[in-house]
């Protein structure tokens, strides 16, 4: 476990990686339909059920990292479709911490935008 992962509230990077790491914070806003959705963040394909608000991960700093956020539900709408709003981004290598804001739109592709 690295020093970054020892910080309270930081989810460690669990895949094989021996290089430098940095912190990623994702802000996931509470959506109006929150009672039927659970937020899920994915780091390089590994999914984490997370809470609404800010969540912090340890990620590699020396290579591209794929980040995505989606809202999972078992609710079926009028047409019987299961809605799963999502957003995705590939972060380029960089030594410093990064903060992303998820903008999720019901039934549509959203975005993950840098903050600051």
């Amino acid at each position: 476990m690295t020093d970054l992962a020892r910080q309270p509230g930081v989810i460690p990077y669990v895949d094989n990686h021996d290089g430098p790491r940095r912190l990623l914070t994702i802000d996931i806003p509470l959506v109006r339909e929150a009672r039927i959705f659970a937020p899920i963040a994915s780091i390089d394909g590994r999914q984490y059920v997370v809470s609404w608000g800010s969540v912090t991960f340890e990620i590699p700093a020396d290579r591209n990292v794929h980040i995505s956020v989606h809202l999972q539900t078992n609710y079926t709408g009028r047409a019987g479709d299961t809605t799963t709003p999502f957003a995705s981004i590939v972060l380029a290598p960089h030594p410093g911490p990064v903060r992303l804001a998820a903008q999720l739109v019901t039934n549509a592709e959203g975005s993950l935008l840098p903050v600051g």
Side-chain angles (χ1 to χ4, degrees), residues 5-69:
R6 286 189 179 96
Q7 294 180 29
V10 174
I11 299 170
Y13 190 77
V14 295
D15 290 330
N16 187 25
H17 180 262
D18 294 330
R21 299 181 186 205
R22 64 181 171 151
L23 292 178
L24 162 69
T25 301
I26 305 173
D27 298 324
I28 305 171
L30 185 67
V31 296
R32 185 179 59 194
E33 302 88 357
R35 62 182 172 77
I36 64 169
F37 287 115
I40 298 177
S42 299
I43 309 296
D44 285 339
R46 188 173 297 265
Q47 295 186 350
Y48 300 87
V49 178
V50 295
S51 60
W52 303 105
S54 296
V55 61
T56 302
F57 295 90
E58 174 189 52
I59 63 170
D62 60 346
R63 64 171 180 76
N64 288 345
V65 178
H66 177 250
I67 310 298
S68 66
V69 174

